[in-house]
Amino acid sequence: MKELLLNEIEEIEEEFLPDDIERKELDIPNISRRDVMKHFVRLSQRNYGVDTGFYPLGSCTMKYNPKLLERVASMEKINYTSPLQHPSTVQGNLEIMYRLEKALCAITGMDAFTLQPAAGAHGEFTGMLIAKAYFEWKKEKRENVIVPDSAHGTNPASARMAGFNVIEIPSKDGRVDMDALRSAVDEKTAAFMLTNPNTLGIFEKDILQISKIIKDAGALLYYDGANLNAIMGKARPGDMGFDIVHLNLHKTFATPHGGGGPGAGPVGVKEFLIPFLPVPRVMKNGDEYELDYGSKLSIGRVSRFFGNFGVLVKAYAYILMKGGNGLSEASSRAVLNSNYLMEKLRHIGYEVPYYGRRMHEFVLSLKNFKERGVRAIDVAKRLLDYGFHPPTVYFPLIVDEAFMIEPTEDESKQTLDAFAEAMEKIFHEDAELLKSAPHGEMGRVDEVKAARELKVTWKDLR
Ligand SMILES: *Cc1c(COP(=O)(O)O)cnc(C)c1O
């Protein structure tokens, strides 16, 4: 019996890699499994993630991703289904999408959502295609999309990709310049794309007036809701007058992201734009969930199937886990953490342009460091030596030497204090020390080269 078993095992080993697919010319070391494991685990530990430290990357909402969500998304009934299955066999999956859509409507004040877009930028592009289809249907020739100069770079890119001309307007005191907006809007305006709170973390308090200007001109108001983390359960873009919104589920609704990982950028619209949404739409008929391909005005599909379903499941589970009050509380804490940290850094001497209350994030200007020959990138790199992931740098573009910090709701006071302490030390440090940072395991890398000449290898190339 024992022998038989051993024989079988040998056979399996032999069959494991057929000769004809084995590429002998590859220079792969022949080492034990244990050594392979040690190598890759060691490499992974050199990586920095939300589960290993503070990650205040502004505009990216690197919040804690509850591990329970991974378990839910990898449950057999969810993970082992195919988008090609007949709807009658995946009723549960359709129900999740249906309910997620309803939850997002409740959170944003919109009337319907498509869950297909796979990222924020993809959502923007989808939103712009909807705007285009709408005006084509109305037989109105509107070719311009207006964006403020504080906009995320994807906004003008998405509008352009959808075939619109992009008109940029300046900001005033960190908000939309109302006069500039008034003079940019005319009968050729298709949409105004706005982030609120904007990329400086400032709430656009004139939003109702902005909405009126856009509506009076017959144009659409587009909401970049990538970062909803300040206003969940507090204010709704739908109530502010937005006609189209996109959300980043991977940011606000707790899916691990970065490094190009799967995301979801659902797009919500007001009632009058529902016919233009991508198909199929998940509808409920009695107790049955169905796929509806009916609308003749639909822009069609923007995803081969239903989008990144795993991300949708995680977002829905996160919403259920938090509940309405929990989401609202998350926003309160995100805003509190951001203002607490901003005040601490301001007291050290860091400059906060357009100083005032902030929402979920704030932006410093490190332009005074330039006198010493130090730039924002140097301070960012130096933070690595103190064990912190750097904030976003050089965005938004309207702030000189921008340093954009988003602490998120999950960080403790101790963590924020420790970060402020590191920032205080750095504030007084020698210019040469900063300019040559980081001094740890890896020195300063040439980022452009690293991005352009990616070397994917098992080798330790240091
Ligand atoms: C992250 C972000 C986007 C783009 O989202 P992706 O998922 O990276 O495509 C758009 N707008 C704002 C304000 C963002 O922060």
Side-chain angles (χ1 to χ4, degrees), residues 211-390:
S211 167
K212 186 164 183 325
I213 293 171
I214 299 302
K215 270 173 209 167
D216 287 349
L220 299 173
L221 191 55
Y222 183 94
Y223 186 73
D224 177 341
N227 317 104
L228 211 64
N229 224 32
I231 64 164
M232 289 183 297
K234 312 284 183 198
R236 308 193 308 170
D239 300 334
M240 297 176 206
F242 286 93
D243 302 297
I244 310 176
V245 316
H246 88 264
L247 307 177
N248 277 26
L249 298 187
H250 46 292
K251 287 178 183 169
T252 313
F253 297 95
T255 281
H257 59 289
V267 172
V269 295
K270 286 282 175 60
E271 181 103 43
F272 70 101
L273 291 172
I274 292 179
F276 301 92
L277 282 175
V279 288
R281 306 207 49 235
V282 179
M283 308 296 258
K284 194 172 183 190
N285 186 359
D287 289 337
E288 287 278 306
Y289 294 92
E290 305 175 335
L291 297 178
D292 179 2
Y293 289 85
S295 178
K296 297 267 181 298
L297 296 175
S298 165
I299 61 165
R301 278 184 177 279
V302 294
S303 163
R304 253 180 306 173
F305 296 115
F306 301 96
N308 282 321
F309 183 60
V311 177
L312 306 179
V313 172
K314 282 182 234 183
Y316 182 56
Y318 180 74
I319 291 169
L320 287 187
M321 190 177 155
K322 288 271 182 198
N325 291 338
L327 292 177
S328 169
E329 165 103 22
S331 285
S332 299
R333 284 173 181 265
V335 172
L336 179 62
N337 275 359
S338 151
N339 283 284
Y340 175 75
L341 189 54
M342 176 182 71
E343 289 301 340
K344 285 205 87 148
L345 298 182
R346 215 169 75 89
H347 279 105
I348 293 167
Y350 285 98
E351 186 191 337
V352 182
Y354 321 111
Y355 172 68
R357 279 287 151 264
R358 287 300 185 271
M359 302 300 279
H360 61 295
E361 64 192 354
F362 60 96
V363 181
L364 305 177
S365 170
L366 301 193
K367 69 174 194 288
N368 293 337
F369 279 68
K370 278 203 273 193
E371 291 159 18
R372 297 195 280 148
V374 174
R375 305 206 45 200
I377 188 80
D378 303 318
V379 175
K381 295 294 181 192
R382 181 66 179 143
L383 272 171
L384 294 170
D385 289 336
Y386 287 98
F388 293 108
H389 193 286

Side-chain angles (χ1 to χ4, degrees), residues 25 37 44 164 209 236 248 250 291 295 317 324 333 342 373 416 445 455:
E25 72 278 11
M37 181 57 82
S44 76
F164 290 110
Q209 214 182 324
R236 308 193 308 170
N248 277 26
H250 46 292
L291 297 178
S295 178
R333 284 173 181 265
M342 176 182 71
L416 302 182
V445 294
K455 286 209 173 73

Side-chain angles (χ1 to χ4, degrees), residues 394-414:
Y394 302 111
F395 175 74
L397 304 177
I398 55 174
V399 171
D400 197 12
E401 297 296 313
F403 210 70
M404 184 192 214
I405 299 175
E406 179 179 9
T408 84
E409 67 275 21
D410 308 300
E411 293 297 352
S412 64
K413 180 170 177 297
Q414 285 81 352

